[in-house]
Amino acid sequence: MNSRARLFRKVNSFLIVYCLLGIYYLLGCNNEPKQNNTRKPVDYIKRIPGKSENIPAEAIQKGEVLIAYSDCYICHKPDQRSVGPAFKDIAQRYPANKVYIEALAQKVISGGSGNWGSAVMDPHSTLSVGDAKLMVSYVLSLKPNQ
């Protein structure tokens, strides 16, 4: 009986140790710090300060038609980011004045990258400067009310 008592004590001590380790493990898993998986929206629009001017309604309408017949909507959407920035985001970044209309028209014609991340805009070398200015005027007219 003495050997049975020792065996019983060994088995009980192993069971107690394993139960305590299991409880310790379970309690340790629940004490991990909670991770906050909510992401803060990133404002990728770096606004350029400057005064906006009124764009004539006729220029806006002509620009809208020119964009509708172009390939702009392949990479740009009116109000959501796609391959390129949304038109409304472009309008938010740049002041609507002659200087930026001219600069952006040249950018549309020559193409480029780097202003909105890694997206590359193909050149539109067959587009006239006048048509490019009208298209840019339409895009900059989409500026949200501030």
Side-chain angles (χ1 to χ4, degrees), residues 75-76 81-85 107 111-122:
C75 297
H76 299 279
R81 192 173 187 177
S82 181
V83 175
K107 186 76 164 183
S113 67
N115 292 330
W116 295 91
S118 61
V120 176
M121 183 169 65
D122 293 331

Side-chain angles (χ1 to χ4, degrees), residues 8-82:
F8 184 70
R9 282 187 211 145
K10 282 184 180 180
V11 170
N12 280 343
S13 60
F14 281 121
L15 286 174
I16 291 171
V17 168
Y18 284 124
C19 287
L20 289 174
L21 285 173
I23 291 170
Y24 178 75
Y25 176 76
L26 290 174
L27 291 175
C29 289
N30 291 333
N31 288 334
E32 292 179 16
K34 292 184 180 180
Q35 294 180 354
N36 189 358
N37 289 333
T38 57
R39 296 174 71 184
K40 294 179 182 177
V42 176
D43 186 12
Y44 73 106
I45 303 170
K46 297 175 183 118
R47 289 174 181 81
I48 296 173
K51 188 173 182 176
S52 291
E53 301 167 356
N54 286 333
I55 300 173
E58 185 179 343
I60 294 170
Q61 290 171 346
K62 287 180 181 179
E64 184 177 15
V65 170
L66 288 168
I67 284 180
Y69 283 102
S70 73
D71 64 348
C72 296
Y73 286 119
I74 293 173
C75 297
H76 299 279
K77 304 296 177 224
D79 54 6
Q80 65 183 2
R81 192 173 187 177
S82 181

